[in-house]
Structures are given as C-alpha cells and as structure tokens.
C-alpha cells in the first residue's frame, strides 16, 4: 500500500523480505554480493541491470534508507554517507570544478565554513558569503562563475532562517544549483525540495538518529545531480556502514513523534526563559520575538528542537553556567533524547576568529540547548538552578 502520509512512509518503507520472511529488516553486514554467473556480473557492472555489487556502491540497508528519505523529503534519489560532513563535501565537490563559485549564507556549520574557506580555495573553488539579514543583496553577489547556492535554515547555532521560496526562485532565475542543509528542521518540519531546492543535505547524526549513536549523512535531490554525486561517492568512498543505515532507518520510524516532543519541549523552554533576568535574550524560531517569526511560521511546521540564549556576564558566566548543570549533558551533539548543551564560542566555532563569530551572532555568553525528550520540568529546573548557581559563583568571585 502506498501512503502519502509522513508517519506511514517513515514506518512502512522497507527492503524486500529475505528468504526468512522477517518483519523487521535485518542488517546486511556484507562487503559484497555474489553473482549468479559471469554474464550477470557483466550486466551489473555495465548498469544494464540493477542490483547490489559491493557495499561501497550500495547495500539493502542503505537502499532502504534512501527510498524512505526520498519519500519523506520529496526528492528523486539520494546517497547515504558516513557523516554529515562527507555529505556536505561530496555534494559540493562532485558538482563543482576549479574556477567555480559558491554563494553561501554566512551562518554555516563550523566545518562547512572550513571547507569553503580552507579546503576549496586550494582547488580554485571560490565562495562569497551573503548576509541572512540582507536578502536584497544576494542577487548582486551572484557572479558569472557562480554554480551553487548553499544555505542552512535554521542555521547552527544562530537559528537564522532563509526564505526558501524566495531562494528557490532566485536559484531558478539564475540557473544555479540550490543546496540546502536541512539538518536542524528534518523533513518532518520542512521540505526544501518543495521550494525548488535541487539538493537537500543532512547530518543524519542529529535528529534523524535521535539517540546519539551514529555519525551519518545524506545527499538527496534531483536524479541527474545525484547521478554525478553517486559517481563521485562510488569512487572516493564516503559510504555509510549498513549497520548505521539500519539504525537510521529504524530511527526514522519514530521521527514524527520525537520531533513533536522535541519541538514542544523547546517551545516551553523558550517561553519560560524569555525575559529571564539572568539572560540577555532567548532565540527560537517560533517565539514571536524571533526576527523571522513569520517566515518560520510560513516554511516550518514547528519551531524545531534547538533554542539558544545568551547568559549575562559573558564567557566566564557562560562557562560557570555549564559547570553548574546537574542533569543536562555537556556534549557537542544535538538532536538527542537527552537534552544537550553547548557553548559554541569555546567549542564548535572556536576555530573562527572573534570577528567571524561576531558576524554570525556567536556572542561569548551564547548557549545552545537541544531540547531532549525528558520531562520538560526537569530540564527547566536544571537550567534555572544552574543560572542561580552561576550567578552566586560570580558574585563570590567579585566580592
Ligand atoms: C552536525 C552538523 C553537520 C555535520 O554533520 P556530522 O554528522 O557531524 O559530520 C553539518 N551541518 C549541520 C547543520 C550540523 O548540525
């Protein structure tokens, strides 16, 4: 039965049964697949027939994951990768050559920024950063050699949004490939392909896994583009392990219910903390005070699982706040069942210069919270107590 509903697609898209008539897809931990005869081997290698040859190219678990995510994201084809970064890198490196130019939003994940600024220049691939607050400037930043637009929305950790409908039209008008990192929203909250994105990239490590177990990525998109990326991935080898593909496919079965709760908890935290006397500000796409609240309502189903806030007292207070937490996990991951907290200025974005951090809104006291699935009152209590404890600590020191 074919369903058009997200939840059903996420649960009922499965690899064909093996001889054993299993109900849940088994893990195909095999490096390669056998050929019935020399003729079949020839036909498979020459793409005359479809089938698995070698797990670097494809595998039943990886194929199941791709089929499922294509339905969920509304894309034609896809490639699973060993990490979010290999997805970002392969989706760009496969389609660009020396002399090409990428227009990217300034608010990007730290390692994506490193690819654009430190790695691609070695191969003559240039970039320009565009400011999210000034969409009117983007068109003028498109050059003759621009081939791709790359954005994250909402961005990590700034929670800035880009208007996907507007951007889809801009890319179309200039014949550019629009590549959207949809990691923070997941297809449950937002489907960039519906707005004209040609490629949708993911760190599946985050909400897709949802339980902090695997590192993985996805490249989804138009058939012709994915074909080129597949050639690149097949021969350079950023393949996903079938075990991780199996974990992710299972995880997607619960994505909708998990995202609903992540979003509900994040909104409650944001509403409670907004206006708190120990905070400079709280940012969350579905808070009315978010500068792009209306855009968030337009293109996202809910506000997502991430909130940020800035503690008063700068970097010292920020660190004390983290040290005063009793339950929440201090860890670099996000999108976990456990609420996780990070201090981007001293961790994920520490390699950026102070000025680069300022440009993307990473203030010294900025804290990123990924709302987990614990009872929201316990999360709140831990944050409230840590805010108090860190205040006392700094008073003791000042006195
Ligand atoms: C984590 C993250 C990545 C990188 O993914 P990995 O799975 O860690 O390689 C890329 N983009 C965004 C927005 C992320 O949050």
């Amino acid at each position: 039965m074919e369903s058009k509903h997200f939840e059903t697609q996420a649960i009922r898209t499965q690899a064909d049964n093996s001889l054993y008539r299993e109900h849940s897809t088994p893990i195909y931990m095999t490096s390669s697949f056998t050929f019935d005869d020399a003729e079949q081997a020839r036909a498979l290698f020459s793409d005359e027939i479809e089938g698995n040859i070698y797990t670097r190219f494809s595998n039943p678990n990886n194929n199941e994951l791709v089929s499922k995510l294509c339905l969920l994201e509304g894309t034609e084809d896809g490639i699973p990768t060993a990490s979010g970064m290999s997805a970002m890198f392969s989706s760009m490196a496969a389609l660009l050559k020396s002399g090409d130019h990428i227009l990217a939003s300034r608010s990007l994940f730290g390692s994506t920024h490193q690819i654009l600024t430190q790695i691609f220049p070695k191969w003559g691939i240039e970039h320009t950063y565009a400011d999210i607050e000034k969409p009117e400037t983007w068109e003028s930043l498109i050059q003759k050699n621009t081939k791709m637009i790359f954005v994250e929305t909402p961005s990590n950790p700034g929670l800035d949004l880009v208007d996907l409908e507007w951007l889809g039209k801009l890319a179309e008008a200039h014949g550019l490939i629009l590549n959207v990192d949809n990691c923070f929203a997941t297809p449950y909250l937002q489907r960039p392909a519906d707005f004209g994105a040609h490629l949708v990239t993911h760190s599946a490590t985050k909400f897709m896994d949802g339980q902090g177990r695997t590192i993985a990525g996805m490249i989804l998109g138009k058939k012709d583009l994915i074909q080129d990326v597949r050639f690149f991935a097949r021969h350079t080898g950023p393949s996903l392990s079938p075990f991780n593909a199996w974990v992710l496919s299972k995880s997607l079965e619960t994505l909708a219910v998990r995202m609903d709760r992540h979003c509900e908890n994040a909104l409650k935290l944001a509403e409670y903390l907004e206006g708190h006397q120990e905070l400079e500000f709280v940012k969350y796409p579905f808070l009315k005070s978010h500068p792009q609240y209306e855009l968030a309502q337009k293109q996202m189903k809910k506000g997502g699982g991430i909130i940020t806030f800035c503690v008063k007292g700068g970097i010292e207070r920020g660190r004390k706040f983290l040290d005063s937490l009793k339950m929440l996990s201090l860890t670099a991951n996000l999108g976990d069942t456990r609420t996780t907290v990070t201090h981007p200025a001293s961790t994920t974005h520490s390699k950026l210069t102070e000025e680069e951090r300022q440009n993307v809104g990473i203030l010294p006291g900025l804290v990123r919270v990924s709302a987990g699935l614990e009872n929201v009152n316990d999360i709140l209590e831990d944050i409230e107590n840590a805010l108090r404890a860190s205040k006392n600590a700094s008073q003791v020191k000042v006195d």
Side-chain angles (χ1 to χ4, degrees), residues 83-85 88 109 112 152 156 181 183-184 203 205-206 215-216 334:
S83 68
M85 285 328 300
M88 305 308 149
F109 184 69
T112 310
E152 264 172 46
N156 181 5
D181 179 343
C183 166
F184 266 35
S203 167
T205 312
K206 315 293 170 51
I215 297 285
L334 60 89

